Amino acid sequence: MVRFGIIGLGKIAHKFAHDLAMVDGVELRAVGSRSLDKSSAFAKAYNVKHHHDSYEDCMKNEEVDVIYIATPHVFHHSLTIQCLEAGKAVICEKPMGMNSKQVQEMISLAREKNLFLMEGLWTRFIPGVKKALELINKGAIGKVKHVKADFGFYVNPQSEGRLTQKNLGGGSLLDIGLYPMYLCNLLLGKPDQIFAKAEIVNGVDRRVNMIYKYGDASGTLYSSFEHKATVEAIIQGTDGILKMHEPFHHCSRLTLTDNHGEAQEMNVPHQGEGYYHEIEEVRDCIHQGKVQSDKVSWDDSLALHAQLDEVRNQIGLFYE
């Protein structure tokens, strides 16, 4: 039995806890919040044995093997370091850090402590995404030439939530822009060049446009808090087109169209909220004594965060 703890008990933590209850061989043993009322209510909702009014007490709980960090971005680095120092394996919500330097520090400590660490890029484990990769690897659309992906929804720039606050790592890039970037990495690898432009409001990005260039292939990627986007991915190849329907980052429907216009639709459902499959991966890695996942490796996270650094440099987005 792999025993989980959760620190940071917001909306995503609820989804994660819901799915964790569906997975065999795991148990949610403890939760931690800065509010005792919040941790108590969360524990009651998911039948959790221990609830703590501090993150530190949850980390120190001897009945916990791995901790899921679901706090705002800016706390991911320090909390991961503390968890690893406390001897706990970690699955940290994306983005794992605020920059590549932080991510490298987290990985270095996990390596030193011989502890499992993974960035919570749940997209990689979604059955629809795995099916898309399988089709492409089998040559269903020939050679991939272009990836088009966007993610957007409206956020009031005057709101006081984490999405608009610079001191909480706000902006569309870190919250949702990394999904199109990650998909491009999955399909085409590290880009040779990145070009980025953005609209910055109150110190955080409202909209980011990116072009990835790869020799004879390319990607056009977009994230926005200005409006609802299609949240689809269109993968164009020499022999056809594969569409990952909304929401592409945890899609359950694909459409494969060949060069003659013949279309084939595929339904590929996921379990629960979609975190089920990520939790299975963490469970299996820990049972196997791995310190990292083969599917979301430390190198994968370092590559993604190097690209995030490059985009931020180009658009003039800097966090303290």
Side-chain angles (χ1 to χ4, degrees):
M1 180 69 67
V2 177
R3 303 167 300 175
F4 278 75
I6 299 177
I7 57 177
L9 304 180
K11 182 171 67 174
I12 293 176
H14 279 275
K15 293 181 178 181
F16 190 89
H18 171 272
D19 281 12
L20 193 144
M22 301 169 61
V23 179
D24 291 336
V26 300
E27 181 183 351
L28 181 53
R29 190 63 64 89
V31 295
S33 171
R34 291 171 177 168
S35 162
L36 184 59
D37 288 344
K38 193 171 187 179
S39 66
S40 177
F42 196 101
K44 184 177 181 180
Y46 299 100
N47 194 29
V48 182
K49 182 178 178 181
H50 302 285
H51 63 276
H52 303 283
D53 62 357
S54 76
Y55 298 152
E56 293 74 20
D57 285 348
C58 189
M59 295 173 196
K60 294 174 184 176
N61 191 310
E62 294 183 356
E63 296 183 34
V64 171
D65 303 307
V66 54
I67 289 182
Y68 172 59
I69 297 174
T71 62
H73 312 328
V74 291
F75 305 117
H76 289 177
H77 171 258
S78 61
L79 290 173
T80 296
I81 295 296
Q82 290 178 64
C83 287
L84 293 170
E85 290 286 7
K88 306 301 185 192
V90 176
I91 172 172
C92 181
E93 253 309 322
K94 54 78 189 166
M96 196 153 78
M98 294 299 293
N99 52 56
S100 295
K101 180 176 181 290
Q102 287 189 352
V103 173
Q104 183 60 71
E105 289 173 355
M106 296 154 79
I107 290 170
S108 294
L109 185 58
R111 182 181 287 113
E112 176 189 327
K113 299 287 187 181
N114 196 36
L115 287 168
F116 178 82
L117 170 66
M118 188 182 85
E119 186 168 16
L121 290 164
W122 63 313
T123 293
R124 180 62 182 85
F125 310 104
I126 296 294
V129 176
K130 293 171 73 174
K131 181 64 175 179
L133 291 173
E134 176 188 317
L135 289 166
I136 290 166
N137 290 336
K138 287 182 176 179
I141 61 170
K143 184 177 180 180
V144 175
K145 301 293 289 183
H146 187 70
V147 177
K148 179 182 179 183
D150 64 51
F151 198 154
F153 53 86
Y154 178 72
V155 176
N156 186 335
Q158 304 306 316
S159 66
E160 297 184 356
R162 67 172 182 84
L163 297 179
T164 62
Q165 302 301 303
K166 186 171 184 176
N167 65 337
L168 293 178
S172 76
L173 180 67
L174 289 183
D175 196 67
I176 55 177
L178 53 67
Y179 282 115
M181 296 169 71
Y182 180 62
L183 180 65
C184 223
N185 280 321
L186 275 179
L187 299 172
L188 292 169
K190 299 178 186 178
D192 298 322
Q193 290 179 289
I194 299 174
F195 302 94
K197 296 289 184 181
E199 177 72 15
I200 306 292
V201 176
N202 298 327
V204 299
D205 63 285
R206 292 282 291 165
R207 178 184 72 248
V208 183
N209 296 79
M210 295 168 277
I211 296 174
Y212 274 29
K213 297 195 74 174
Y214 303 83
D216 63 350
S218 61
T220 53
L221 316 174
Y222 177 71
S223 66
S224 178
F225 283 163
E226 293 182 333
H227 64 91
K228 172 75 171 68
T230 65
V231 199
E232 295 176 337
I234 309 296
I235 306 158
Q236 302 172 42
T238 53
D239 297 330
I241 297 171
L242 182 64
K243 179 176 181 178
M244 301 172 70
H245 291 266
E246 180 184 13
F248 77 86
H249 63 300
H250 60 116
C251 67
S252 57
R253 187 161 64 100
L254 305 169
T255 300
L256 176 64
T257 306
D258 65 22
N259 285 345
H260 303 291
E262 294 291 330
Q264 176 187 357
E265 286 211 5
M266 289 159 274
N267 292 310
V268 192
H270 55 71
Q271 296 289 324
E273 300 282 353
Y275 294 91
Y276 176 100
H277 309 284
E278 177 183 62
I279 294 165
E280 282 192 316
E281 174 72 8
V282 174
R283 177 201 64 197
D284 293 346
C285 285
I286 289 176
H287 277 318
Q288 295 164 22
K290 293 182 176 181
V291 295
Q292 60 179 308
S293 166
D294 297 330
K295 295 183 176 68
V296 179
S297 70
W298 294 343
D299 282 346
D300 292 336
S301 290
L302 286 169
L304 177 61
H305 282 267
Q307 292 160 38
L308 286 165
D309 287 353
E310 174 63 22
V311 170
R312 285 199 303 272
N313 284 335
Q314 289 192 27
I315 67 177
L317 177 63
F318 303 103
Y319 297 96
E320 295 179 359

